[in-house]
């Protein structure tokens, strides 16, 4: 794994439902390779699925950038979802549980935020949206002496 400053991002197009499946698959593969546990992998794939769907449905499509991270102490994964759509008019409202413009449960942005350690949204009406989520591999406690 390369240091975070040298890691190369993989860019994945988001323009169809098939692309959403490809993004989920790629996130799972990166997460497994980085050493994320199964529960963490599932959280990352769920967050990626929600954010990719938002990119497609609300942003009119765009792309995802998946970047492995290694800061010398921990490994992680950064996922950025970028569109050139209409932007989010009221970000505070959009981050509220239950708020929806698409008839869903309204847990997309707020739900994705709860599934990762770092989360940011860069948006403005007419300028599109970039949502970035970062998760770090949870450190598994060392086994006790004498334990296999």
């Amino acid at each position: 794994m390369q240091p975070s400053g040298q890691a190369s991002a993989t860019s994945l197009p988001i323009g169809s439902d098939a692309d959403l499946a490809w993004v989920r698959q790629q996130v799972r593969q990166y997460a497994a390779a980085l050493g994320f546990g199964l529960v963490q992998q599932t959280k990352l794939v769920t967050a990626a699925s929600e954010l990719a769907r938002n990119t497609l449905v609300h942003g009119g499509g765009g792309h995802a950038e998946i970047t492995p991270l290694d800061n010398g102490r921990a490994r992680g994964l950064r996922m950025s979802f970028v569109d050139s759509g209409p932007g989010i008019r009221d970000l505070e409202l959009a981050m509220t549980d239950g708020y929806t413009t698409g008839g869903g449960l309204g847990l997309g942005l707020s739900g994705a935020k709860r599934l990762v350690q770092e989360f940011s949204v860069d948006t403005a009406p007419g300028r599109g949206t970039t949502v970035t989520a970062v998760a770090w591999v949870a450190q598994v406690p060392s086994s006790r002496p004498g334990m296999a």
Side-chain angles (χ1 to χ4, degrees), residues 31-72:
L34 287 164
F36 283 92
L38 187 56
V39 171
Q40 287 181 297
Q41 289 177 35
T42 302
K43 288 179 177 182
L44 277 171
V45 169
T46 301
S49 183
E50 290 293 331
L51 297 173
R53 180 157 295 286
N54 281 355
T55 300
L56 179 62
V57 172
H58 301 292
H63 69 278
E65 293 176 7
I66 312 301
T67 309
L69 303 173
D70 186 340
N71 67 10

Side-chain angles (χ1 to χ4, degrees), residues 56-93:
L56 179 62
V57 172
H58 301 292
H63 69 278
E65 293 176 7
I66 312 301
T67 309
L69 303 173
D70 186 340
N71 67 10
R73 296 184 316 275
R75 289 181 315 278
L77 189 64
R78 178 175 51 234
M79 308 179 296
S80 294
F81 298 84
V82 182
D83 69 60
S84 299
I88 301 172
R89 203 168 337 192
D90 186 339
L91 182 58
E92 187 176 343
L93 181 61

